[in-house]
Amino acid sequence: MTRVGIRPFIKETVTNGQVTEMETKKAENYFHQKTYFKTDLKAYLLNEKKKIKDLDARRKWEYIWQYYKLWIIGIVCTVTAIIYFTVHFFVMPRDNWFYGVFANTYADVGEHSDLWEGFVAYAGLDVKEKNVVFNNNCYFDPGKKGYNQYFNAFVAYVDSGTMDIVTMEAGHLKTLGKKGRLMDLSNQEIAGVLAEKYADRLIYATPDNAEYSTQPIPIGIDLSDTCLVTEYHLYEDSCALGISSLAPHLDQVEQFLDYVIGQ
């Protein structure tokens, strides 16, 4: 059986009522080393304190800087780095240049993929200043009743004004477009000239909300013949892009469309 001794960190292994000699030696060595370290450190600090006790403030600082400057520089650099990264990543999170959701695909199109690298270079976006987010970890069927965690996240992206675009197979995007979270591309006040520019690619859906419209409205852009399918294989048969109703970066959305259509 095993018995834990009174002193911390000593675990006495008992066999037939006898503490094994090896365990005893290990415990003794540990506490001897710990005691020696504490004693030596205490003696060293007391000795250093005596050396500078009778020095004036300027000479004390000169002595400390001469013998401990590397330690001081190291501590200052470490504290500065901790403060910088804490502020940079937690207190002041960076804004986005562009936020795209590539739903229901297992293709390698996330951040730092070939697609991501190509778009960043094409658009001339400085990712040290702001983020370019390609989220390819989102899976849901917009036609199913009820909600899963991915759909809840998708709704949060839209309603918070974070997401710019979402891609899906064309049939799924039409279904999603009925729910009212994709931009009505015919509304020039918010969509600008997108409907006119991509008129031959528009995908339509009739909103579930009859008060908004009882007629089909353009809610997506067909990209089935673009590199998203032919090169990056997001989907097998079709690919369509919808723009969030609250998309914050329409200029980058247009750049992304030009990029994938022009490849």
PDB file of all heavy atoms in Angstrom, residues 157-182:
ATOM      1  N   TYR A 157     -22.328  35.767 -36.343  1.00  0.00           N
ATOM      2  CA  TYR A 157     -21.438  36.474 -37.272  1.00  0.00           C
ATOM      3  C   TYR A 157     -22.200  37.541 -38.050  1.00  0.00           C
ATOM      4  O   TYR A 157     -21.702  38.651 -38.261  1.00  0.00           O
ATOM      5  CB  TYR A 157     -20.798  35.505 -38.266  1.00  0.00           C
ATOM      6  CG  TYR A 157     -19.875  34.471 -37.676  1.00  0.00           C
ATOM      7  CD1 TYR A 157     -19.811  33.184 -38.213  1.00  0.00           C
ATOM      8  CD2 TYR A 157     -19.073  34.757 -36.571  1.00  0.00           C
ATOM      9  CE1 TYR A 157     -18.967  32.222 -37.683  1.00  0.00           C
ATOM     10  CE2 TYR A 157     -18.232  33.800 -36.036  1.00  0.00           C
ATOM     11  CZ  TYR A 157     -18.178  32.538 -36.596  1.00  0.00           C
ATOM     12  OH  TYR A 157     -17.350  31.580 -36.071  1.00  0.00           O
ATOM     13  N   VAL A 158     -23.407  37.181 -38.502  1.00  0.00           N
ATOM     14  CA  VAL A 158     -24.204  38.118 -39.295  1.00  0.00           C
ATOM     15  C   VAL A 158     -24.724  39.255 -38.425  1.00  0.00           C
ATOM     16  O   VAL A 158     -24.529  40.441 -38.734  1.00  0.00           O
ATOM     17  CB  VAL A 158     -25.386  37.392 -39.975  1.00  0.00           C
ATOM     18  CG1 VAL A 158     -26.284  38.401 -40.690  1.00  0.00           C
ATOM     19  CG2 VAL A 158     -24.876  36.357 -40.966  1.00  0.00           C
ATOM     20  N   ASP A 159     -25.388  38.907 -37.336  1.00  0.00           N
ATOM     21  CA  ASP A 159     -26.064  39.919 -36.511  1.00  0.00           C
ATOM     22  C   ASP A 159     -25.094  40.871 -35.816  1.00  0.00           C
ATOM     23  O   ASP A 159     -25.476  41.990 -35.458  1.00  0.00           O
ATOM     24  CB  ASP A 159     -26.951  39.234 -35.470  1.00  0.00           C
ATOM     25  CG  ASP A 159     -28.138  38.519 -36.109  1.00  0.00           C
ATOM     26  OD1 ASP A 159     -28.344  38.692 -37.323  1.00  0.00           O
ATOM     27  OD2 ASP A 159     -28.850  37.784 -35.389  1.00  0.00           O
ATOM     28  N   SER A 160     -23.848  40.436 -35.631  1.00  0.00           N
ATOM     29  CA  SER A 160     -22.857  41.305 -34.991  1.00  0.00           C
ATOM     30  C   SER A 160     -22.126  42.185 -35.995  1.00  0.00           C
ATOM     31  O   SER A 160     -21.287  43.003 -35.608  1.00  0.00           O
ATOM     32  CB  SER A 160     -21.834  40.463 -34.218  1.00  0.00           C
ATOM     33  OG  SER A 160     -21.087  39.648 -35.107  1.00  0.00           O
ATOM     34  N   GLY A 161     -22.436  42.015 -37.284  1.00  0.00           N
ATOM     35  CA  GLY A 161     -21.756  42.800 -38.313  1.00  0.00           C
ATOM     36  C   GLY A 161     -20.318  42.372 -38.511  1.00  0.00           C
ATOM     37  O   GLY A 161     -19.477  43.170 -38.911  1.00  0.00           O
ATOM     38  N   THR A 162     -20.030  41.097 -38.247  1.00  0.00           N
ATOM     39  CA  THR A 162     -18.666  40.565 -38.393  1.00  0.00           C
ATOM     40  C   THR A 162     -18.444  39.954 -39.771  1.00  0.00           C
ATOM     41  O   THR A 162     -17.430  40.217 -40.421  1.00  0.00           O
ATOM     42  CB  THR A 162     -18.393  39.496 -37.322  1.00  0.00           C
ATOM     43  OG1 THR A 162     -18.531  40.081 -36.025  1.00  0.00           O
ATOM     44  CG2 THR A 162     -17.004  38.906 -37.476  1.00  0.00           C
ATOM     45  N   MET A 163     -19.390  39.156 -40.232  1.00  0.00           N
ATOM     46  CA  MET A 163     -19.220  38.386 -41.461  1.00  0.00           C
ATOM     47  C   MET A 163     -19.491  39.233 -42.696  1.00  0.00           C
ATOM     48  O   MET A 163     -20.382  40.086 -42.710  1.00  0.00           O
ATOM     49  CB  MET A 163     -20.164  37.177 -41.445  1.00  0.00           C
ATOM     50  CG  MET A 163     -19.918  36.163 -42.551  1.00  0.00           C
ATOM     51  SD  MET A 163     -21.250  34.941 -42.634  1.00  0.00           S
ATOM     52  CE  MET A 163     -22.463  35.847 -43.590  1.00  0.00           C
ATOM     53  N   ASP A 164     -18.728  38.965 -43.749  1.00  0.00           N
ATOM     54  CA  ASP A 164     -18.953  39.626 -45.031  1.00  0.00           C
ATOM     55  C   ASP A 164     -19.649  38.706 -46.029  1.00  0.00           C
ATOM     56  O   ASP A 164     -20.636  39.098 -46.643  1.00  0.00           O
ATOM     57  CB  ASP A 164     -17.620  40.107 -45.621  1.00  0.00           C
ATOM     58  CG  ASP A 164     -17.034  41.263 -44.844  1.00  0.00           C
ATOM     59  OD1 ASP A 164     -17.695  42.304 -44.756  1.00  0.00           O
ATOM     60  OD2 ASP A 164     -15.913  41.120 -44.313  1.00  0.00           O
ATOM     61  N   ILE A 165     -19.133  37.498 -46.211  1.00  0.00           N
ATOM     62  CA  ILE A 165     -19.711  36.600 -47.218  1.00  0.00           C
ATOM     63  C   ILE A 165     -19.828  35.181 -46.677  1.00  0.00           C
ATOM     64  O   ILE A 165     -19.143  34.803 -45.720  1.00  0.00           O
ATOM     65  CB  ILE A 165     -18.883  36.591 -48.518  1.00  0.00           C
ATOM     66  CG1 ILE A 165     -17.440  36.069 -48.257  1.00  0.00           C
ATOM     67  CG2 ILE A 165     -18.811  37.986 -49.125  1.00  0.00           C
ATOM     68  CD1 ILE A 165     -17.152  34.697 -48.734  1.00  0.00           C
ATOM     69  N   VAL A 166     -20.693  34.412 -47.306  1.00  0.00           N
ATOM     70  CA  VAL A 166     -20.790  32.986 -47.034  1.00  0.00           C
ATOM     71  C   VAL A 166     -20.911  32.272 -48.375  1.00  0.00           C
ATOM     72  O   VAL A 166     -21.593  32.760 -49.281  1.00  0.00           O
ATOM     73  CB  VAL A 166     -22.001  32.647 -46.129  1.00  0.00           C
ATOM     74  CG1 VAL A 166     -23.312  33.087 -46.756  1.00  0.00           C
ATOM     75  CG2 VAL A 166     -22.036  31.149 -45.799  1.00  0.00           C
ATOM     76  N   THR A 167     -20.225  31.151 -48.524  1.00  0.00           N
ATOM     77  CA  THR A 167     -20.381  30.324 -49.716  1.00  0.00           C
ATOM     78  C   THR A 167     -21.028  29.005 -49.336  1.00  0.00           C
ATOM     79  O   THR A 167     -20.813  28.482 -48.244  1.00  0.00           O
ATOM     80  CB  THR A 167     -19.037  30.043 -50.411  1.00  0.00           C
ATOM     81  OG1 THR A 167     -18.229  29.205 -49.565  1.00  0.00           O
ATOM     82  CG2 THR A 167     -18.299  31.335 -50.733  1.00  0.00           C
ATOM     83  N   MET A 168     -21.848  28.494 -50.282  1.00  0.00           N
ATOM     84  CA  MET A 168     -22.531  27.215 -50.122  1.00  0.00           C
ATOM     85  C   MET A 168     -22.826  26.672 -51.506  1.00  0.00           C
ATOM     86  O   MET A 168     -22.611  27.369 -52.504  1.00  0.00           O
ATOM     87  CB  MET A 168     -23.874  27.382 -49.389  1.00  0.00           C
ATOM     88  CG  MET A 168     -23.796  27.697 -47.933  1.00  0.00           C
ATOM     89  SD  MET A 168     -25.488  27.822 -47.246  1.00  0.00           S
ATOM     90  CE  MET A 168     -25.143  27.559 -45.526  1.00  0.00           C
ATOM     91  N   GLU A 169     -23.323  25.458 -51.547  1.00  0.00           N
ATOM     92  CA  GLU A 169     -23.904  24.990 -52.792  1.00  0.00           C
ATOM     93  C   GLU A 169     -25.125  25.842 -53.098  1.00  0.00           C
ATOM     94  O   GLU A 169     -25.801  26.345 -52.186  1.00  0.00           O
ATOM     95  CB  GLU A 169     -24.275  23.512 -52.698  1.00  0.00           C
ATOM     96  CG  GLU A 169     -23.061  22.593 -52.610  1.00  0.00           C
ATOM     97  CD  GLU A 169     -23.438  21.128 -52.650  1.00  0.00           C
ATOM     98  OE1 GLU A 169     -24.633  20.816 -52.414  1.00  0.00           O
ATOM     99  OE2 GLU A 169     -22.556  20.296 -52.911  1.00  0.00           O
ATOM    100  N   ALA A 170     -25.415  26.033 -54.363  1.00  0.00           N
ATOM    101  CA  ALA A 170     -26.443  26.992 -54.780  1.00  0.00           C
ATOM    102  C   ALA A 170     -27.806  26.711 -54.145  1.00  0.00           C
ATOM    103  O   ALA A 170     -28.501  27.638 -53.708  1.00  0.00           O
ATOM    104  CB  ALA A 170     -26.554  26.993 -56.305  1.00  0.00           C
ATOM    105  N   GLY A 171     -28.195  25.455 -54.087  1.00  0.00           N
ATOM    106  CA  GLY A 171     -29.495  25.110 -53.509  1.00  0.00           C
ATOM    107  C   GLY A 171     -29.591  25.485 -52.048  1.00  0.00           C
ATOM    108  O   GLY A 171     -30.619  26.007 -51.588  1.00  0.00           O
ATOM    109  N   HIS A 172     -28.512  25.246 -51.299  1.00  0.00           N
ATOM    110  CA  HIS A 172     -28.498  25.605 -49.882  1.00  0.00           C
ATOM    111  C   HIS A 172     -28.531  27.113 -49.693  1.00  0.00           C
ATOM    112  O   HIS A 172     -29.179  27.619 -48.763  1.00  0.00           O
ATOM    113  CB  HIS A 172     -27.256  25.019 -49.206  1.00  0.00           C
ATOM    114  CG  HIS A 172     -27.346  23.552 -48.946  1.00  0.00           C
ATOM    115  ND1 HIS A 172     -26.269  22.778 -48.611  1.00  0.00           N
ATOM    116  CD2 HIS A 172     -28.418  22.699 -48.963  1.00  0.00           C
ATOM    117  CE1 HIS A 172     -26.639  21.524 -48.427  1.00  0.00           C
ATOM    118  NE2 HIS A 172     -27.950  21.450 -48.643  1.00  0.00           N
ATOM    119  N   LEU A 173     -27.844  27.838 -50.572  1.00  0.00           N
ATOM    120  CA  LEU A 173     -27.837  29.298 -50.428  1.00  0.00           C
ATOM    121  C   LEU A 173     -29.226  29.873 -50.705  1.00  0.00           C
ATOM    122  O   LEU A 173     -29.653  30.828 -50.046  1.00  0.00           O
ATOM    123  CB  LEU A 173     -26.812  29.932 -51.370  1.00  0.00           C
ATOM    124  CG  LEU A 173     -26.532  31.406 -51.063  1.00  0.00           C
ATOM    125  CD1 LEU A 173     -25.640  31.536 -49.836  1.00  0.00           C
ATOM    126  CD2 LEU A 173     -25.899  32.113 -52.241  1.00  0.00           C
ATOM    127  N   LYS A 174     -29.950  29.301 -51.669  1.00  0.00           N
ATOM    128  CA  LYS A 174     -31.320  29.757 -51.932  1.00  0.00           C
ATOM    129  C   LYS A 174     -32.186  29.575 -50.690  1.00  0.00           C
ATOM    130  O   LYS A 174     -32.983  30.450 -50.332  1.00  0.00           O
ATOM    131  CB  LYS A 174     -31.928  28.986 -53.104  1.00  0.00           C
ATOM    132  CG  LYS A 174     -31.357  29.350 -54.460  1.00  0.00           C
ATOM    133  CD  LYS A 174     -32.039  28.540 -55.552  1.00  0.00           C
ATOM    134  CE  LYS A 174     -31.468  28.859 -56.930  1.00  0.00           C
ATOM    135  NZ  LYS A 174     -32.121  28.065 -57.995  1.00  0.00           N
ATOM    136  N   THR A 175     -32.035  28.424 -50.046  1.00  0.00           N
ATOM    137  CA  THR A 175     -32.803  28.157 -48.827  1.00  0.00           C
ATOM    138  C   THR A 175     -32.422  29.138 -47.724  1.00  0.00           C
ATOM    139  O   THR A 175     -33.292  29.682 -47.023  1.00  0.00           O
ATOM    140  CB  THR A 175     -32.557  26.714 -48.344  1.00  0.00           C
ATOM    141  OG1 THR A 175     -32.909  25.804 -49.390  1.00  0.00           O
ATOM    142  CG2 THR A 175     -33.369  26.405 -47.107  1.00  0.00           C
ATOM    143  N   LEU A 176     -31.130  29.378 -47.569  1.00  0.00           N
ATOM    144  CA  LEU A 176     -30.674  30.327 -46.564  1.00  0.00           C
ATOM    145  C   LEU A 176     -31.171  31.735 -46.871  1.00  0.00           C
ATOM    146  O   LEU A 176     -31.531  32.496 -45.972  1.00  0.00           O
ATOM    147  CB  LEU A 176     -29.140  30.328 -46.501  1.00  0.00           C
ATOM    148  CG  LEU A 176     -28.490  31.223 -45.441  1.00  0.00           C
ATOM    149  CD1 LEU A 176     -28.887  30.782 -44.032  1.00  0.00           C
ATOM    150  CD2 LEU A 176     -26.975  31.219 -45.593  1.00  0.00           C
ATOM    151  N   GLY A 177     -31.219  32.073 -48.153  1.00  0.00           N
ATOM    152  CA  GLY A 177     -31.661  33.399 -48.562  1.00  0.00           C
ATOM    153  C   GLY A 177     -33.102  33.717 -48.192  1.00  0.00           C
ATOM    154  O   GLY A 177     -33.471  34.892 -48.068  1.00  0.00           O
ATOM    155  N   LYS A 178     -33.907  32.711 -47.998  1.00  0.00           N
ATOM    156  CA  LYS A 178     -35.300  32.933 -47.610  1.00  0.00           C
ATOM    157  C   LYS A 178     -35.430  33.435 -46.171  1.00  0.00           C
ATOM    158  O   LYS A 178     -36.446  34.028 -45.810  1.00  0.00           O
ATOM    159  CB  LYS A 178     -36.099  31.625 -47.739  1.00  0.00           C
ATOM    160  CG  LYS A 178     -36.194  31.087 -49.167  1.00  0.00           C
ATOM    161  CD  LYS A 178     -36.956  29.771 -49.185  1.00  0.00           C
ATOM    162  CE  LYS A 178     -37.066  29.223 -50.598  1.00  0.00           C
ATOM    163  NZ  LYS A 178     -37.811  27.938 -50.633  1.00  0.00           N
ATOM    164  N   LYS A 179     -34.382  33.212 -45.375  1.00  0.00           N
ATOM    165  CA  LYS A 179     -34.468  33.516 -43.941  1.00  0.00           C
ATOM    166  C   LYS A 179     -34.166  34.968 -43.613  1.00  0.00           C
ATOM    167  O   LYS A 179     -34.309  35.394 -42.470  1.00  0.00           O
ATOM    168  CB  LYS A 179     -33.526  32.590 -43.165  1.00  0.00           C
ATOM    169  CG  LYS A 179     -33.867  31.113 -43.325  1.00  0.00           C
ATOM    170  CD  LYS A 179     -32.924  30.237 -42.532  1.00  0.00           C
ATOM    171  CE  LYS A 179     -33.248  28.759 -42.728  1.00  0.00           C
ATOM    172  NZ  LYS A 179     -34.559  28.400 -42.180  1.00  0.00           N
ATOM    173  N   GLY A 180     -33.687  35.739 -44.578  1.00  0.00           N
ATOM    174  CA  GLY A 180     -33.551  37.172 -44.383  1.00  0.00           C
ATOM    175  C   GLY A 180     -32.221  37.667 -43.860  1.00  0.00           C
ATOM    176  O   GLY A 180     -32.098  38.842 -43.512  1.00  0.00           O
ATOM    177  N   ARG A 181     -31.201  36.808 -43.803  1.00  0.00           N
ATOM    178  CA  ARG A 181     -29.913  37.267 -43.299  1.00  0.00           C
ATOM    179  C   ARG A 181     -28.889  37.505 -44.400  1.00  0.00           C
ATOM    180  O   ARG A 181     -27.723  37.801 -44.118  1.00  0.00           O
ATOM    181  CB  ARG A 181     -29.358  36.278 -42.264  1.00  0.00           C
ATOM    182  CG  ARG A 181     -30.060  36.412 -40.918  1.00  0.00           C
ATOM    183  CD  ARG A 181     -29.376  35.657 -39.823  1.00  0.00           C
ATOM    184  NE  ARG A 181     -29.873  36.077 -38.528  1.00  0.00           N
ATOM    185  CZ  ARG A 181     -30.960  35.577 -37.929  1.00  0.00           C
ATOM    186  NH1 ARG A 181     -31.658  34.635 -38.547  1.00  0.00           N
ATOM    187  NH2 ARG A 181     -31.355  36.022 -36.752  1.00  0.00           N
ATOM    188  N   LEU A 182     -29.320  37.370 -45.650  1.00  0.00           N
ATOM    189  CA  LEU A 182     -28.449  37.685 -46.771  1.00  0.00           C
ATOM    190  C   LEU A 182     -28.908  38.992 -47.406  1.00  0.00           C
ATOM    191  O   LEU A 182     -30.094  39.315 -47.432  1.00  0.00           O
ATOM    192  CB  LEU A 182     -28.461  36.555 -47.806  1.00  0.00           C
ATOM    193  CG  LEU A 182     -27.935  35.200 -47.320  1.00  0.00           C
ATOM    194  CD1 LEU A 182     -27.968  34.190 -48.467  1.00  0.00           C
ATOM    195  CD2 LEU A 182     -26.527  35.323 -46.746  1.00  0.00           C
TER     196      LEU A 182
END
